[in-house]
């Protein structure tokens, strides 16, 4: 037996949630880029423990817009290189502290530098995206914000612990004006290095600070999630992005653009604090759905920064897949057909598998010009495998794959941590003119 899928507008189901943040200030003007002054070092591969630190002066902070009492709620770096890491198993930590010094001693000691610092961000599931751009880290520890005293410099300390399957060496980070011995780096084996080596190159950072006054924000929507049909709670992340205690907020929420329902929240959130708020529930039928949430008032009045009041989330509701399906770009993604390999991958990740799945590429429907990644497939195993029957059809890219630096996107098909996955009789071709090519790239115990 096979379970049918209602997959109308299925291609939009994995769009990221729309999340607005607090006021962002940028420390320093961009000067250049560096492979070593940022969250990740670019000069070596494999398992490493990296520690980086830099000092930013009172003058630089004032020029960016900080003042005495500014509540810092997030930090970001600008990634300019194209390297990436997929596996969601990097440990990354960020500390901030006040420092009267403008540069470091001859041999900075990590234990000394970390003394008095506040851990503001920590994760064990970080990955490095391929695209260049700003990587932002909203503070997620017990201390929701760091209050700057207005009289001392700020020191930022990071630690990144990466595993053996780290292969990329093409990261670059935006830097600002140098200060002699104003930064320091340590890059050693997985046994963490205890001391730093000083440098004058400092990465540019962007700080998210609270608005002056009452500002409530929706930082995301944690539920519902993609999965089988049925009832799920609507839970949002309410954040106090202002500098006064938030005690009340009205939150309007919608399903698929329908009439809004309202929820009156009452509580106490100090500046920077985040709280999950369940605003209601809904019974979801099969297909793609869009959930929206908006703060309409804060502490009984319109808040001062409407730009961060709203968030949306897209989900795909479907039963675990089992049985026979087709891949045919001449037909839409609907029922048991998928218009592309990427649509098939998205369904596997969202719906999971409840039995053996076979997707047959329809004879004469190719060639397919796309790159596809298969990963995070719930339920896959010996009794619920996935097979692609290629039917001698072709998949390739739409343009040459050029090996420049450490270009990570050289695959046609990538399998990340996937087992019980079979590909039969599929022609995987290199596009003419390509200088770097991996037909099937298997990562992390695939």
């Amino acid at each position: 037996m096979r379970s049918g899928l209602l997959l109308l507008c299925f291609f939009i189901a994995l769009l990221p949630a729309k999340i607005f943040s607090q006021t962002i200030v940028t420390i320093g003007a961009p000067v250049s880029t560096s492979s070593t002054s940022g969250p990740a070092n670019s000069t070596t591969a494999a398992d490493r423990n990296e520690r980086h630190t830099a000092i930013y002066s009172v003058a630089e902070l004032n020029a960016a817009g900080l003042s005495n009492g500014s509540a810092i709620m997030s930090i970001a770096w600008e990634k300019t290189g194209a390297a990436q890491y997929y596996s969601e198993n990097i440990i990354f930590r960020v500390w901030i502290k006040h420092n009267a010094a403008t540069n470091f001693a001859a041999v900075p000691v990590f234990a000394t530098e970390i003394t008095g610092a506040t851990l503001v961000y920590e994760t064990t599931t970080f990955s490095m995206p391929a695209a260049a751009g700003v990587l932002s880290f909203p503070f997620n520890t017990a201390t929701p914000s760091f209050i700057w005293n207005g009289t001392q410099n700020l020191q930022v300390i990071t630690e990144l612990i990466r595993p053996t399957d780290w292969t990329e060496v093409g990261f670059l980070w935006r830097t600002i004006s140098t200060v002699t011995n104003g930064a320091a780096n340590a890059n050693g084996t997985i046994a963490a290095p205890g001391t730093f080596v000083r440098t004058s190159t400092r990465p540019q950072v962007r700080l998210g600070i609270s608005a002056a006054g009452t500002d409530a924000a929706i930082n995301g929507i944690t539920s519902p999630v993609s999965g089988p049909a049925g009832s799920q709670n609507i839970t949002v992340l309410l954040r106090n992005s202002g500098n006064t205690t938030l005690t009340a907020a009205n939150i309007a929420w919608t399903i698929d653009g329908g009439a809004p329902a309202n929820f009156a929240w009452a509580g106490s959130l100090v500046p920077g604090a985040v709280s999950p708020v369940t605003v209601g529930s809904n019974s979801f039928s099969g297909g793609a759905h869009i959930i929206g949430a908006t703060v309409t008032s804060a502490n009984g009045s319109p808040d001062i920064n409407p730009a961060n009041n709203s968030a949306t989330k897209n989900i795909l509701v479907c039963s675990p897949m089992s049985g026979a399906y087709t891949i045919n770009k001449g037909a839409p993604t609907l029922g048991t057909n998928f218009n592309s390999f990427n649509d098939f991958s998205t369904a596997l990740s969202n719906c999971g598998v409840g039995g053996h799945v076979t997707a047959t590429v329809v004879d004469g429907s190719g060639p397919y010009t796309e790159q596809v990644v298969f990963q995070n497939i719930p339920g896959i195993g010996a009794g619920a495998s996935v097979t692609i029957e290629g039917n001698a059809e072709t998949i390739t890219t739409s343009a040459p794959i050029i090996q420049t630096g450490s270009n990570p996107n050289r695959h046609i098909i990538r399998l990340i941590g996937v087992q019980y996955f079979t590909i039969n009789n599929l022609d995987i071709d290199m596009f003419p003119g390509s200088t770097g090519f991996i037909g099937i790239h298997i990562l992390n115990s695939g």
Side-chain angles (χ1 to χ4, degrees), residues 111-159:
T112 301
E113 299 303 325
I114 211 70
T115 300
T118 299
L119 179 67
V120 293
Y121 183 85
E122 182 174 27
T123 182
T124 60
T125 59
F126 179 50
S127 285
M128 196 72 71
V134 175
L135 299 183
S136 183
F137 301 90
F139 296 169
N140 66 355
T141 62
T143 303
S145 63
F146 182 91
I147 308 301
W148 184 48
N149 64 18
T151 60
Q152 290 180 295
N153 307 318
L154 271 185
Q155 180 180 351
V156 176
I157 306 166
T158 65
E159 179 178 55

Side-chain angles (χ1 to χ4, degrees), residues 26 66 125 138 161 181 275 299 328 389 395 405 427:
T26 302
L66 271 73
T125 59
I161 302 173
N181 299 326
S275 177
N299 287 354
N328 180 6
E389 291 291 352
I395 183 171
D427 185 5

Side-chain angles (χ1 to χ4, degrees), residues 175-306:
T175 63
I176 60 175
S177 59
T178 59
V179 171
T180 301
N181 299 326
N185 301 319
N187 186 351
T189 64
I190 208 71
T195 59
F196 294 92
V197 176
R198 295 184 300 177
T199 176
S200 62
T201 304
R202 300 177 300 157
Q204 185 181 63
V205 292
R206 290 168 169 81
L207 303 176
I209 62 173
S210 62
T214 303
D215 183 23
I218 300 294
N219 259 37
I221 301 174
T222 58
S223 66
V225 296
S226 296
S231 181
Q232 294 193 59
N233 286 337
I234 313 298
T235 301
V236 305
L237 295 177
L238 178 67
R239 182 168 197 167
N240 182 358
S241 292
N243 64 359
T244 61
T245 298
L246 185 66
T247 58
N250 191 72
I251 303 170
W253 57 277
T254 61
I255 303 295
D256 297 331
N262 294 302
F263 179 83
W265 171 84
S268 181
L269 286 180
V270 299
V274 179
S275 177
V277 177
T278 298
V279 298
S281 64
N282 186 69
S283 182
F284 291 93
S285 59
H289 299 280
I290 303 174
I291 298 88
T294 300
V295 173
T296 58
S297 68
N299 287 354
S301 302
D303 73 14
I304 61 174
N305 183 21

